[in-house]
Amino acid sequence: MILNIGSLNIDHVYQVDTLVRPGETVTSSRYTKGAGGKGLNQSIAAARAGAEVAHAGCIGEDGESLRQTLQHAGVDVTRIDQVTSPTGHAIIQIDREGRNCIVVYSGANHGLQPETVTGWLDGLGPKDTLLLQHEVNEPERWVRLGREKGMRVLLNPAPAAGCVPRSTLEALDALIVNEVEAAELSRTSMPHEALDRLTAWAPKADIIVTLGAAGCIWGRGNQRSTHYAPKVKAIDTTAAGDTFVGYWVAATAMGHTNAAAIEWAIQAAALCVQRVGAAAAIPAIPAPTP
Ligand code: ADP
């Protein structure tokens, strides 16, 4: 099983001509409200890929619709707790080019307690995968707890990689980052150089640096590969990375090779960027034939 300890957000999405600049007011031509949060999106992506997924996280009273969204997608929601703080939410602007600009309020996503997380991990072990992002509090601590249980641990340190301790990197089975996060973590803006540094720091882990429309690069120890994304017309890149992560973790948890998992993740993410929205834009596509 995949246990995803991750954020649950309500997304407020505004279509604008140009992204708002400091001191400026812009009018939005279209507003939609939907389910989002990197955690929730990745659980939905993994479930749409066909994996057995449980989501763990916290919502406020105003977040019950998020639990329902996950349940409808086939995700186990028994580890989602209602707490007194408000549900996390995001204010998202999308411009004519499909570029986005996002403000996130963490709310209940930052209220995770060690006793609660320990309870969520009860009964899980080496056959299970723990997936984490950086939209909950203390993700490194939950990496350690997963490791202690012998789980396979995957970290997507998004939206900000900041300073992930080397000890955390060493403990990972897989790390997926976009170009910005790769640069933050490795202190170099050259993706191939970043991959070299990250594979040196986490020699046992699969490391993937996603490169937007250019696809991604993968490394493990001294091995390297490059994977190209299909050429498509992107209208909204929200949740592209989440789709990629969810499909990759699902594919590898279901026993696909890394190369097949990347291929599937790239196809799913390419469909996602051609649709508007976060969770709603995540496609369900069959596994590629090996
Ligand atoms: P994030 O969404 O986390 O910033 P990226 O922008 O690197 O991450 O996108 C993640 C993945 O989504 C890419 O590796 C690629 O497979 C796919 N993707 C993103 N943008 C496009 C695009 N314009 N065309 C095709 N695929 C895309």
Side-chain angles (χ1 to χ4, degrees):
M1 188 189 75
I2 299 166
L3 178 69
N4 181 12
I5 300 182
S7 57
L8 299 122
N9 283 347
I10 297 169
D11 279 356
H12 301 275
V13 184
Y14 303 85
Q15 187 72 47
V16 292
D17 280 345
T18 52
L19 302 174
V20 70
R21 284 173 304 207
E24 193 184 43
T25 301
V26 296
T27 307
S28 167
S29 54
R30 185 168 181 270
Y31 164 72
T32 51
K33 182 176 161 188
K38 288 182 180 297
L40 178 144
N41 293 343
Q42 292 180 17
S43 283
I44 289 182
R48 292 203 173 137
E52 188 191 346
V53 193
H55 190 96
C58 294
I59 50 174
E61 264 178 36
D62 52 340
E64 280 305 318
S65 64
L66 302 178
R67 191 200 300 271
Q68 286 162 18
T69 300
L70 282 169
Q71 201 161 18
H72 286 151
V75 176
D76 176 331
V77 296
T78 51
R79 294 172 180 84
I80 296 178
D81 295 346
Q82 202 193 92
V83 296
T84 48
S85 19
T87 304
H89 68 255
I91 309 286
I92 303 171
Q93 298 171 49
I94 301 167
D95 74 6
R96 280 183 301 211
E97 314 295 319
R99 287 174 300 203
N100 62 44
C101 216
I102 306 177
V103 178
V104 177
Y105 173 71
S106 301
N109 295 316
H110 272 197
L112 272 51
Q113 301 294 331
E115 317 79 71
T116 317
V117 176
T118 302
W120 288 338
L121 295 176
D122 194 32
L124 301 180
K127 289 202 186 79
D128 303 301
T129 299
L130 176 63
L131 171 62
L132 286 155
Q133 310 78 26
H134 270 193
E135 282 187 341
V136 295
N137 56 300
E138 300 181 88
E140 279 75 28
R141 193 165 175 182
W142 321 137
V143 165
R144 272 205 310 279
L145 290 183
R147 215 55 251 177
E148 282 164 17
K149 293 254 168 196
M151 296 174 79
R152 176 176 168 249
V153 183
L154 165 62
L155 178 67
N156 169 229
C163 178
V164 180
R166 293 277 183 95
S167 57
T168 301
L169 291 175
E170 280 165 20
L172 296 175
D173 295 287
L175 174 80
I176 302 182
V177 286
N178 68 12
E179 271 181 282
V180 176
E181 293 140 13
E184 284 169 354
L185 265 180
S186 66
R187 313 233 179 277
T188 163
S189 57
M190 314 287 282
H192 287 88
E193 175 70 30
L195 183 61
D196 287 343
R197 290 189 190 177
L198 294 170
T199 49
W201 294 338
K204 295 190 308 280
D206 285 304
I207 314 255
I208 298 173
V209 181
T210 62
L211 305 171
C216 71
I217 49 178
W218 166 86
R220 187 185 172 105
N222 294 326
Q223 304 171 69
R224 297 286 181 275
S225 61
T226 299
H227 306 262
Y228 299 100
K231 225 174 165 39
V232 297
K233 183 163 169 39
I235 55 166
D236 177 5
T237 58
T238 313
D242 296 335
T243 301
F244 186 102
V245 173
Y247 267 78
W248 190 87
V249 70
T252 50
M254 292 191 288
H256 291 272
T257 62
N258 168 65
I262 289 179
E263 187 54 31
W264 198 11
I266 279 188
Q267 296 304 330
L271 273 179
C272 173
V273 303
Q274 296 175 73
R275 302 172 176 181
V276 176
I282 299 168
I285 60 167
T289 40

